[in-house]
Amino acid sequence: MSSVVGFTSQESNGHDYEDGNERFDLHQIPDTTVTNLSLPVETFLGAAISLKDQVVQVTWEGRGNNIADPTVYSGLLGTAFACLRSYEATGSHRDLLLCAEIVDACDSVARNSTRHVTFLCGRGGVYALGAVVANIRGDHHKRDLFLDLFNEVAQERALPVGPEEGGFGMSYDLLYGRAGFLWAALFINKHLGQDTVHNDLLTPIVEAVLAGGRAGASDNTASPLMYRWHGTRYWGAAHGLAGILNVLLHFPLSEEDAEDVKGTLRYMMSNRFPHSGNYPSSEGNQRDKLVEWSHGATGMSITLCKASQVFATDREFRDAAIEAGEVVWKSGLVKKVGLADGAAGNAYAFLSLYRLTGDGVYVERAKAFASFLYHNARKLQSRGVEHNYSLFQGLAGTACLWFDLLAPEISKFPGYEL
């Protein structure tokens, strides 16, 4: 294996991405050798437990009551999510109790902040995760308390306001906007029952998201749906089309709505970069730079996997999902660790493709990326960076990936897949 561009080498192939991401080159690794790069699954279990414990020690036990960031994305609630994933994988009630304790601490902070209502970056995540964890623990009183708090958030007047009523004040994106609130509701309904958060609350918000997309597309774009975040028409999962469409695909859609979603996906597919097959980070952006969950082929591959399941007779979405996965593989290993813009997030594209196709090569590719992280994750952490142990920007996401490799058939990208 000495001829294979290495998983323990610290040399870059020279690709310098606009966010500072360099990559290890995997272009020359044939699929038949991928298994030789991967560690045994039992190694990932031990590593995941150890890393989760370290995340808890640094972000929870080492911080006391000083909670600056209570969110899933970059804050303490991401530690709670990692503990829940550990409980699901191992059955450890200590992890479940830790998760509940951390959620309670985040709740005390989140109630004083009304800025965001999403799962990843707002109160929606605290209340959704809190309700699910309380239900698992059999604490129905606390479950109902969190559900009441979530339903109060659902009454936010800006959520169901369409563009014809001036509804451009609240964004539509996954991190900070309406799609992110809808994902929190989907998370609750997935775990507690489909009618827990009622459709009469959610349908007007879905309709507002669709109406906002149509209004945004009327401004010189051939796409049926388009959205702006801080003035830019993003395409990625974090702030743009891939993330919003992924959420919409989980709801019942009328024939017209479904055609607009499909048409938007086709628009994106037809405007890939011709040389690489990667997706632009935003409308009109000609820089073929980013291959990660936040921007580029990774998030699109996962969204296209969902589209292929929803629109099963439209083979083009399945083919495009597979092609996007090839972009992720051929672009190499990101020299970052997190879910948002690192190797852990990119590995989840392969797990999504495995669940879609049943082809074991995707599990082996995910294991290869995970093995790289096993050997290199701590070396790649930036010194003194506050979010080094967070879910989306740090090591908590790597722990979740390792847990998910124990049962790839039920793996889910945290905060993105259900």
Side-chain angles (χ1 to χ4, degrees), residues 1-5 7 25-39 329 361 364-365 367-369 371:
M1 291 304 297
S2 59
S3 63
V4 175
V5 177
F7 276 66
D25 191 3
L26 291 180
H27 282 81
Q28 305 303 318
I29 303 180
D31 287 334
T32 54
T33 69
V34 174
T35 54
N36 295 324
L37 301 175
S38 301
L39 295 166
W329 177 248
V361 70
E364 297 306 326
R365 289 181 174 184
K367 287 170 63 179
F369 275 37
S371 297

Side-chain angles (χ1 to χ4, degrees), residues 183-198:
W183 199 92
L186 288 167
F187 181 79
I188 290 173
N189 286 348
K190 168 67 181 297
H191 290 278
L192 301 184
Q194 288 304 310
D195 294 327
T196 305
V197 183
H198 296 301

Side-chain angles (χ1 to χ4, degrees), residues 56-72:
V56 169
Q57 196 282 321
V58 171
T59 64
W60 175 238
E61 295 171 355
R63 291 288 182 93
N65 293 322
N66 183 23
I67 304 170
D69 182 351
T71 70
V72 170

Side-chain angles (χ1 to χ4, degrees), residues 57-248:
Q57 196 282 321
V58 171
T59 64
W60 175 238
E61 295 171 355
R63 291 288 182 93
N65 293 322
N66 183 23
I67 304 170
D69 182 351
T71 70
V72 170
Y73 186 86
S74 57
L76 183 59
L77 199 63
T79 300
F81 193 100
C83 289
L84 177 62
R85 188 58 56 89
S86 178
Y87 165 76
E88 292 170 338
T90 67
S92 168
H93 286 277
R94 174 180 173 272
D95 285 329
L96 186 62
L97 178 60
L98 265 174
C99 181
E101 291 175 349
I102 294 170
V103 169
D104 285 344
C106 291
D107 175 34
S108 66
V109 177
R111 292 199 202 192
N112 296 321
S113 173
T114 60
R115 184 178 180 187
H116 299 304
V117 298
T118 63
F119 184 85
L120 293 179
C121 294
R123 290 172 292 146
V126 177
Y127 304 149
L129 189 58
V132 169
V133 172
N135 189 65
I136 295 172
R137 298 185 67 221
D139 188 342
H140 295 166
H141 174 74
K142 183 163 285 189
R143 176 200 64 192
D144 293 343
L145 172 64
F146 279 123
L147 287 177
D148 287 343
L149 289 168
F150 187 85
N151 284 324
E152 287 180 16
V153 174
Q155 303 300 323
E156 169 68 50
R157 293 179 63 184
L159 282 166
V161 176
E164 68 281 356
E165 304 166 275
F168 291 108
M170 177 177 283
S171 66
Y172 296 91
D173 65 311
L174 186 73
L175 257 60
Y176 300 119
R178 305 180 210 209
F181 172 79
L182 289 171
W183 199 92
L186 288 167
F187 181 79
I188 290 173
N189 286 348
K190 168 67 181 297
H191 290 278
L192 301 184
Q194 288 304 310
D195 294 327
T196 305
V197 183
H198 296 301
N199 280 336
D200 57 357
L201 283 175
L202 301 180
T203 299
I205 304 173
V206 173
E207 292 173 348
V209 172
L210 288 161
R214 291 178 183 123
S218 64
D219 183 17
N220 298 321
T221 174
S223 175
L225 303 173
M226 188 62 68
Y227 303 87
R228 291 178 184 267
W229 189 76
H230 286 204
T232 300
R233 299 185 183 100
Y234 285 104
W235 280 31
H239 295 300
L241 285 169
I244 296 167
L245 295 176
N246 182 62
V247 171
L248 291 175

